[in-house]
Amino acid sequence: MGRGKVELKRIENPTSRQVTFSKRRNGLLKKAFELSLLCDAEVGLVIFSPSGKLYQYASHDMDRSIVRYRSEMGLLGSADNQRSRTFEFWRTEIEDMKRSTETMEGNLRNLAGEDLSTLGMKELKQLERQLKIGVERVRSKKRRIVSEHINYLKRRRRALIEENTQLQKKVKLLDQQQEA
């Protein structure tokens, strides 16, 4: 009894999609193994999951298979192309970081009460909430530090009173010994 034809379209349910990916991945890896074993073929299979996790199978050394593939495809002399892609990647990264830095500096200026003229009512209310939360955190930290310092001073006071009492007893005892 054969299976029904499956309509090939993206599976919308994330759980079903993950289950299907796992089953089909395992089936594909099994088929790659069987092909290499039965036909003595050099097989290299690379799969990246939707989350970016790598799955691979190689009947021989994967690096050797990749070099052979690149050689067959005429991609060996692509060092300049690789450098170009690396350069482009880092250029994009730098641009993203510059934008991120500018955004953070703008937010910092806003928190300091500067450059507020560009903000609308919604942004001003959000800024006010952030400042209230920040002030409350500062006050809470300040209260905790003051409370800890007060407790330290109370303990120190008790220790000094006790030490003073001990010293007064010693002085009294010395005075009594000198009178005797």
Side-chain angles (χ1 to χ4, degrees):
M1 186 163 157
R3 298 178 189 207
K5 188 171 182 176
V6 175
E7 183 182 353
L8 292 179
K9 67 174 188 167
R10 184 174 188 272
I11 300 170
E12 295 301 322
N13 183 320
T15 306
S16 297
R17 188 170 50 242
Q18 179 58 40
V19 168
T20 301
F21 171 80
S22 295
K23 287 181 179 179
R24 288 187 175 237
R25 179 199 67 222
N26 290 338
L28 190 56
L29 290 169
K30 182 179 177 186
K31 290 291 185 188
F33 168 73
E34 291 171 357
L35 181 63
S36 70
L37 189 66
L38 294 173
C39 303
D40 200 28
E42 182 174 345
V43 177
L45 175 64
V46 176
I47 304 170
F48 290 99
S49 72
S51 64
K53 186 173 179 185
L54 168 69
Y55 300 91
Q56 68 178 5
Y57 169 78
S59 60
H60 297 79
D61 179 57
M62 180 63 87
D63 290 335
R64 188 183 93 186
S65 296
I66 290 172
V67 167
R68 183 172 175 194
Y69 169 77
R70 292 176 65 127
S71 173
E72 291 289 329
M73 297 301 292
L75 299 173
L76 281 181
S78 67
D80 289 336
N81 187 22
Q82 180 65 28
R83 275 193 291 273
S84 174
R85 283 187 294 202
T86 301
F87 176 77
E88 186 65 27
F89 168 78
W90 287 113
R91 189 183 63 74
T92 304
E93 280 292 307
I94 289 169
E95 290 300 318
D96 289 346
M97 290 182 138
K98 282 181 181 177
R99 280 192 295 276
S100 178
T101 301
E102 288 170 3
T103 301
M104 288 181 185
E105 286 174 345
N107 290 342
L108 187 59
R109 282 192 300 275
N110 292 156
L111 287 169
E114 301 170 3
D115 294 342
L116 299 178
S117 60
T118 61
L119 300 179
M121 184 57 74
K122 183 178 177 182
E123 291 88 4
L124 287 170
K125 285 184 177 183
Q126 182 180 1
L127 181 61
E128 184 180 27
R129 275 194 304 274
Q130 288 174 335
L131 288 170
K132 282 181 181 178
I133 290 170
V135 167
E136 185 52 42
R137 287 180 181 162
V138 168
R139 286 179 179 157
S140 175
K141 175 77 172 177
K142 184 179 164 186
R143 280 192 297 267
R144 188 176 58 77
I145 290 172
V146 168
S147 176
E148 288 173 357
H149 192 66
I150 288 171
N151 288 336
Y152 166 76
L153 291 174
K154 285 179 180 178
R155 286 191 307 272
R156 181 81 177 121
R157 179 179 174 269
R158 281 193 296 271
L160 289 173
I161 288 173
E162 188 175 319
E163 184 181 352
N164 189 28
T165 304
Q166 294 297 326
L167 289 173
Q168 285 177 353
K169 287 180 183 177
K170 285 182 180 180
V171 167
K172 198 179 213 182
L173 184 62
L174 286 174
D175 284 346
Q176 288 175 356
Q177 288 176 353
Q178 286 179 351
E179 290 176 5

